[in-house]
Amino acid sequence: MNAPTTLTHLVPEIAQRAVPQALLDALAARFGAQCSTAMVVREQHGRDESSFEAPPPAAVVFAESTRDVADAVALAAAHDVPVIPFGVGSSLEGHLLAVQGGISIDLGRMNKVLAVNPEDLTVTVQAGVTRKQLNDEIRSTGLFFPIDPGADATLGGMSATRASGTNAVRYGTMRENVLGLEVVTASGDVIRTGTRAKKSSAGYDLTRLLVGSEGTLGIITEVSLRLYPIPEAISAAICSFPSIEAAVRSVIQVIQLGVPIARVELIDHHTVRMVNAHSKLGLREEPMLLMEFHGSPSSVKEQAETVQEIASEHGGQAFAWASTPEERTRLWTARHNAYFAAIQSRPGCRAISTDTCVPISRLADCLLDSVAEADASGIPYFLVGHVGDGNFHFGYLLDPNDPRERQVAEDLNHKLVTRALGLGGTCTGEHGVGLHKMGFLVTEAGTGAVDMMRTIKRALDPKNILNPGKIFSL
Amino acid sequence: MNAPTTLTHLVPEIAQRAVPQALLDALAARFGAQCSTAMVVREQHGRDESSFEAPPPAAVVFAESTRDVADAVALAAAHDVPVIPFGVGSSLEGHLLAVQGGISIDLGRMNKVLAVNPEDLTVTVQAGVTRKQLNDEIRSTGLFFPIDPGADATLGGMSATRASGTNAVRYGTMRENVLGLEVVTASGDVIRTGTRAKKSSAGYDLTRLLVGSEGTLGIITEVSLRLYPIPEAISAAICSFPSIEAAVRSVIQVIQLGVPIARVELIDHHTVRMVNAHSKLGLREEPMLLMEFHGSPSSVKEQAETVQEIASEHGGQAFAWASTPEERTRLWTARHNAYFAAIQSRPGCRAISTDTCVPISRLADCLLDSVAEADASGIPYFLVGHVGDGNFHFGYLLDPNDPRERQVAEDLNHKLVTRALGLGGTCTGEHGVGLHKMGFLVTEAGTGAVDMMRTIKRALDPKNILNPGKIFSL
């Protein structure tokens, strides 16, 4: 294991490649008003929710079709210029930064739901459709798409980072829920992967290779997804615990028993306080589990009774139901806004979010030691977790003008990741590697596996123009 | 779409590459009695359950460790000689044939369950452990591994072909249930992919790329798998239907309603007759669904009631329960032996098995037209299906001495695959491409996607020594 990361490692390596005027002219000729070189537009596309900074891309193409994406990539390829796909800009790990220069391709206008097949529980969307838009548009079918990262991200971006969220414990992540893709390759060709069949053994699983490839192997332009029937009964509950440990031990037992719980989120007492302030709630300011049960009315009742019993054995109390859709929505909106609630709690701060995920049996060990370290550091933080999956996030709330705080937070993260890897876990459950975890990836996967990734990257993108400088150095 | 396949295309292209005596000497020196060049051993390793034939491999190495596999591959690589991994030889598509010569690496002796983590619902096994052995060894933990292809295949082989089986409708396939791998690469290096964490966004999904790569990108030596709690209640039921259509329409409705049925298998009336004869059962010789429900006692009851109601609406009758474990085992053993029952029904025959999988709404269309064609052909056949996934198998029972029958069967298969692809499906749900479906893969995936597969293959196996000549031509 390496020595703790020092701040200097966290400044992305900036090695801007030239963007010839001839390319900008060609883009202007091909795309007209769909291409912008205005600084405000470039700057908006040159950052994400991470605290990294780099010079903005030289131009932004607003693609309205797969053909637009393919043409933009082909033009950039002709000039050896990097291309970076952009959805809504909600990445947390520096994925969108033009660390080697180049152009941004904004897929936000590719926002059509192309085909809903309710009888097959599938849907095909353009990459710029967001998760909330999708659920709004399919509501009348009685189906829903469960994957819900905090932000209202695009389904293309969620595919590219292998996102998940609060429902993953029951419904899986983008890995399990993407059936097929349309992708623009490094040469500007368009390929399709997968079919609408539920399973297949037909050749290499290009779909799964591209899901989570962070724009480095191709630009996702269409996504076919699995949908699920909206459960007959849905019930949400909250339960307060005397300690984080008691809450986590309850969750471990629920999972080990095979209870098909749909959501089980940990919120620590700091974060409950922030959420109360932000969302005008009166939750007990103690470690809390926020849970949801899906199924038939009797199955939901049975699941909830089992969980309530387990929680009581661990000192859980104030088990309370949100029985109306409005109450449920209010609680889950509050949970999804925890990040913003935390940011508001320290005006002017920036958050650095961790994303470790460990085997469920090691969750308490991993979490408790890291809480002790965070408490000792004096840095304010929030703590939320998709604990049913063994995944949790500390968000260290930093004064951006105090490099010492940044160093302390990165040291905390380094200790946490080191601990998680030692317990058989991963440095990133759902945010991706981006710029932030390139060093951790080598420690986690080993040089041999990362070299295999590099070999694939070099073969599929020989000019290194697809979102270069992310995941690993070449 | 191409013209129907003619028999000449089905003789694998044999282009034997030289196996120098120096390699055989080096293998003998390194492996001693673990390496055999006896013809009977070579012949046993040069075929599988397909009806393809090719000259046997020049030698067989019986690996007892990952180091053995790595050394065998490194020696073969030094001489540009192909290596073909071998489990129990149950592949159906010619995966194991040494069409370019080379050596077979038998992983059957690597049969240790290395680590059971009941509290995390995970297990790590050597590649030669079979699915039944695994379930026998973990029985005391209260957990089970659900993936069950017909044969008692090895978990390495099941990973390499992305296998599934009767439980996939509820538990997924090898794609969803492999957490990580240890793999020997084309250079004889050993890498690890994945972690024991339930989800990860850490770089390219090498695990999913290798699962289903049929030995062409690396040799799998260890597999980490998800396990599931043995359900509190299990109940099996059979129901006869007036027609295949009625049975299939019932299944479609069950899936669309989101009933979490664990198994739902179609067996047509021909096959029921064969199974009755083979397994001494007295089932009604009508199209039949064989189902299983997993869950709490009340959930199982509720699922079964819902399904029984749906079946009745479609004319299902003789809904009968197998309530004891013995009765259940008897029924499922009969189902798993359907292939052998069919083979016995026409002494001396060989079976050619189809493997299409379509979106569930198209299942009836795909199946009924293909049944009509098979009936009209006069070729005896069996028909079984994992219909909850839209996957089914015709097994055409051929006189191996009558090339006309083989031609008729291949023409039936060609029509079936063409139909399935037209309906948004795949040519192979679970058997893999091997030699048999290389042409279909191009039609299904398109030249661009297959070219991407080829590019990956060339990059990771520049000497083309890993099971060459399978999936696609290079």
Side-chain angles (χ1 to χ4, degrees):
Chain A
M1 211 65 71
N2 303 320
T5 313
T6 60
L7 196 55
T8 51
H9 294 125
L10 295 163
V11 179
E13 201 179 316
I14 310 285
Q16 299 279 313
R17 291 152 64 175
V19 177
Q21 187 59 42
L23 171 61
L24 297 177
D25 293 345
L27 291 171
R30 165 64 179 82
F31 291 106
Q34 278 176 254
C35 180
S36 174
T37 52
M39 185 51 83
V40 61
V41 174
R42 291 163 53 201
E43 283 183 342
Q44 192 246 325
H45 287 78
R47 60 173 182 248
D48 54 21
E49 292 289 327
S50 74
S51 48
F52 293 113
E53 287 177 14
V60 179
V61 172
F62 292 89
E64 295 178 359
S65 66
T66 299
R67 179 56 25 223
D68 283 353
V69 176
D71 287 355
V73 172
L75 286 171
H79 294 276
D80 289 6
V81 165
V83 289
I84 305 166
F86 186 98
V88 299
S90 56
S91 290
L92 291 165
E93 302 295 353
H95 292 109
L96 302 176
L97 272 66
V99 289
Q100 297 190 14
I103 63 170
S104 173
I105 302 181
D106 186 322
L107 288 99
R109 295 183 188 173
M110 293 178 62
N111 61 358
K112 286 185 204 63
V113 174
L114 298 171
V116 190
N117 297 93
E119 68 284 14
D120 293 319
L121 314 179
T122 66
V123 67
T124 300
V125 300
Q126 287 186 309
V129 172
T130 70
R131 65 177 182 87
K132 288 185 183 171
Q133 180 198 343
L134 172 60
N135 278 320
D136 286 344
E137 293 203 23
I138 63 175
R139 185 145 299 148
S140 66
T141 62
L143 303 174
F144 78 114
F145 181 69
I147 315 298
D148 64 338
D152 185 21
T154 65
L155 292 155
M158 288 165 61
S159 300
T161 52
R162 206 181 294 130
S164 54
T166 67
N167 284 299
V169 62
R170 165 87 172 244
Y171 297 94
T173 73
M174 292 304 278
R175 179 173 76 193
E176 287 80 21
N177 287 290
V178 176
L179 285 165
L181 298 169
E182 181 190 73
V183 175
V184 173
T185 69
S187 54
D189 293 318
V190 181
I191 66 161
R192 286 187 171 276
T193 72
T195 69
R196 288 203 307 111
K198 200 174 149 210
K199 63 184 195 180
S200 172
S201 288
Y204 301 166
D205 193 344
L206 298 180
T207 305
R208 248 55 54 179
L209 177 64
L210 287 155
V211 168
S213 65
E214 305 185 7
T216 67
L217 297 179
I219 298 185
I220 295 167
T221 48
E222 279 183 26
V223 189
S224 291
L225 297 164
R226 292 180 64 177
L227 300 175
Y228 296 83
I230 295 174
E232 198 186 344
I234 301 178
S235 191
I238 53 175
C239 184
S240 296
F241 288 84
S243 67
I244 289 177
E245 176 164 13
V248 168
R249 297 225 178 269
S250 302
V251 173
I252 292 175
Q253 205 173 329
V254 166
I255 297 299
Q256 288 174 354
L257 272 177
V259 177
I261 195 166
R263 296 165 133 174
V264 52
E265 295 286 304
L266 172 72
I267 307 179
D268 86 326
H269 64 287
H270 298 299
T271 315
V272 175
R273 194 182 64 239
M274 297 168 188
V275 165
N276 274 343
H278 180 268
S279 300
K280 312 276 179 292
L281 295 172
L283 302 168
R284 286 164 72 118
E285 296 187 355
E286 291 174 352
M288 187 182 102
L289 291 179
L290 175 52
M291 294 167 279
E292 199 166 272
F293 307 97
H294 294 178
S296 68
S298 66
S299 148
V300 161
K301 184 162 171 286
E302 190 173 58
Q303 292 174 51
E305 282 167 2
T306 305
V307 171
Q308 189 159 4
E309 196 174 310
I310 293 170
S312 299
E313 284 167 19
H314 291 88
Q317 44 185 318
F319 203 94
W321 293 98
S323 39
T324 68
E326 293 69 29
E327 278 178 86
R328 270 207 326 273
T329 302
R330 191 152 149 267
L331 277 178
W332 285 106
T333 303
R335 162 63 190 88
H336 273 124
N337 289 339
Y339 176 83
F340 304 104
I343 296 281
Q344 278 199 0
S345 75
R346 189 180 187 191
C349 77
R350 294 207 72 153
I352 290 187
S353 179
T354 73
D355 186 30
T356 48
C357 183
V358 294
I360 188 92
S361 71
R362 318 310 295 269
L363 181 58
D365 294 343
C366 190
L367 200 42
L368 298 176
D369 286 349
S370 302
V371 165
E373 285 168 356
D375 285 341
S377 77
I379 300 268
Y381 68 89
F382 68 91
L383 171 61
V384 294
H386 315 309
V387 279
D389 290 322
N391 183 208
F392 58 87
H393 310 296
F394 281 92
Y396 308 115
L397 304 173
L398 309 180
D399 174 352
N401 300 314
D402 184 346
R404 193 199 56 84
E405 288 199 1
R406 172 79 183 253
Q407 182 66 62
V408 171
E410 293 294 351
D411 287 348
L412 287 172
N413 185 35
H414 192 279
K415 283 183 197 156
L416 168 57
V417 171
T418 303
R419 178 172 297 122
L421 300 188
L423 297 170
T426 175
C427 64
T428 172
E430 57 183 12
H431 294 170
V433 174
L435 296 170
H436 200 187
K437 296 178 187 134
M438 291 168 63
F440 294 137
L441 177 66
V442 178
T443 310
E444 174 176 331
T447 313
V450 177
D451 278 346
M452 185 178 273
M453 296 181 201
R454 286 192 179 101
T455 303
I456 294 168
K457 166 73 171 170
R458 286 195 195 101
L460 296 181
D461 180 20
K463 293 180 170 184
N464 193 26
I465 63 166
L466 294 171
N467 204 9
K470 313 294 160 64
I471 306 183
F472 40 69
S473 55
L474 270 184
Chain B
M1 209 65 71
N2 302 320
T5 313
T6 60
L7 195 53
T8 51
H9 293 127
L10 295 164
V11 179
E13 202 178 313
I14 310 284
Q16 299 278 314
R17 290 153 64 175
V19 177
Q21 186 61 40
L23 172 60
L24 297 176
D25 293 345
L27 290 171
R30 166 64 178 79
F31 292 104
Q34 277 176 254
C35 180
S36 174
T37 53
M39 184 53 82
V40 60
V41 174
R42 290 164 53 201
E43 283 182 340
Q44 191 246 326
H45 287 78
R47 59 174 182 248
D48 54 21
E49 292 290 327
S50 74
S51 48
F52 292 113
E53 287 177 15
V60 178
V61 171
F62 292 89
E64 294 178 359
S65 66
T66 299
R67 180 51 31 221
D68 283 352
V69 177
D71 286 355
V73 172
L75 286 170
H79 294 277
D80 289 6
V81 165
V83 289
I84 305 168
F86 186 98
V88 299
S90 56
S91 288
L92 291 164
E93 303 295 353
H95 292 110
L96 302 177
L97 272 67
V99 290
Q100 298 190 15
I103 63 170
S104 173
I105 301 182
D106 185 323
L107 290 99
R109 296 183 188 174
M110 292 178 62
N111 60 358
K112 287 185 203 63
V113 174
L114 297 172
V116 190
N117 297 94
E119 68 284 14
D120 292 319
L121 314 178
T122 67
V123 67
T124 300
V125 300
Q126 286 187 309
V129 172
T130 71
R131 65 177 182 87
K132 287 185 184 172
Q133 180 198 343
L134 172 60
N135 277 320
D136 285 345
E137 293 203 23
I138 63 176
R139 184 145 298 150
S140 67
T141 62
L143 303 174
F144 79 115
F145 181 68
I147 315 300
D148 64 339
D152 186 21
T154 64
L155 292 156
M158 289 165 61
S159 300
T161 53
R162 206 180 294 128
S164 54
T166 66
N167 284 299
V169 62
R170 166 89 173 242
Y171 297 95
T173 73
M174 291 304 279
R175 180 174 74 191
E176 286 80 21
N177 287 289
V178 176
L179 285 166
L181 297 169
E182 181 191 73
V183 175
V184 172
T185 69
S187 54
D189 292 318
V190 181
I191 66 160
R192 287 188 171 274
T193 72
T195 69
R196 288 202 308 112
K198 200 174 150 211
K199 63 183 195 181
S200 172
S201 287
Y204 300 166
D205 193 344
L206 298 179
T207 305
R208 247 55 56 181
L209 176 65
L210 288 155
V211 168
S213 65
E214 305 186 9
T216 67
L217 297 179
I219 298 185
I220 295 168
T221 47
E222 280 183 26
V223 190
S224 291
L225 297 163
R226 291 179 65 176
L227 300 175
Y228 296 83
I230 294 175
E232 197 187 344
I234 301 179
S235 192
I238 53 176
C239 183
S240 295
F241 287 85
S243 67
I244 289 176
E245 178 164 13
V248 168
R249 298 228 178 269
S250 302
V251 173
I252 292 174
Q253 205 173 329
V254 166
I255 298 299
Q256 288 174 354
L257 271 178
V259 178
I261 196 166
R263 296 164 132 174
V264 53
E265 295 286 303
L266 172 72
I267 308 180
D268 86 327
H269 63 290
H270 298 299
T271 315
V272 175
R273 196 182 61 240
M274 297 168 188
V275 165
N276 274 342
H278 180 268
S279 300
K280 313 273 179 292
L281 294 172
L283 301 168
R284 287 164 71 116
E285 296 188 353
E286 291 175 354
M288 187 182 102
L289 291 179
L290 175 51
M291 294 166 279
E292 199 166 273
F293 307 97
H294 294 178
S296 68
S298 66
S299 149
V300 161
K301 183 162 173 284
E302 189 173 59
Q303 293 174 50
E305 282 168 2
T306 305
V307 171
Q308 189 160 2
E309 197 175 310
I310 293 170
S312 299
E313 283 167 19
H314 291 87
Q317 43 185 321
F319 203 93
W321 294 99
S323 40
T324 68
E326 293 71 26
E327 279 179 86
R328 269 207 327 272
T329 303
R330 192 152 148 266
L331 277 177
W332 284 107
T333 303
R335 163 64 190 89
H336 272 123
N337 289 338
Y339 177 83
F340 303 103
I343 297 280
Q344 278 198 0
S345 75
R346 190 180 186 192
C349 77
R350 295 208 70 153
I352 290 188
S353 178
T354 73
D355 186 30
T356 48
C357 183
V358 294
I360 189 92
S361 71
R362 318 311 296 268
L363 180 58
D365 295 342
C366 190
L367 200 41
L368 297 177
D369 287 348
S370 302
V371 165
E373 285 168 356
D375 285 341
S377 76
I379 300 268
Y381 67 89
F382 67 91
L383 172 60
V384 293
H386 315 308
V387 280
D389 290 322
N391 184 208
F392 58 88
H393 310 296
F394 281 92
Y396 306 116
L397 304 172
L398 309 181
D399 175 352
N401 300 315
D402 185 347
R404 193 199 56 85
E405 287 198 1
R406 172 78 183 253
Q407 182 66 61
V408 171
E410 293 294 352
D411 287 348
L412 287 172
N413 185 36
H414 191 279
K415 283 184 197 155
L416 168 57
V417 171
T418 303
R419 178 172 297 122
L421 300 188
L423 296 171
T426 176
C427 64
T428 173
E430 56 184 13
H431 294 169
V433 174
L435 296 169
H436 199 187
K437 296 180 187 130
M438 289 167 64
F440 295 138
L441 177 67
V442 178
T443 311
E444 174 176 332
T447 313
V450 177
D451 278 346
M452 185 179 272
M453 296 181 201
R454 287 191 178 101
T455 303
I456 293 168
K457 166 73 171 171
R458 287 196 195 100
L460 296 182
D461 179 21
K463 294 180 171 183
N464 193 26
I465 63 165
L466 294 172
N467 204 8
K470 313 295 161 63
I471 307 183
F472 40 69
S473 55
L474 270 185

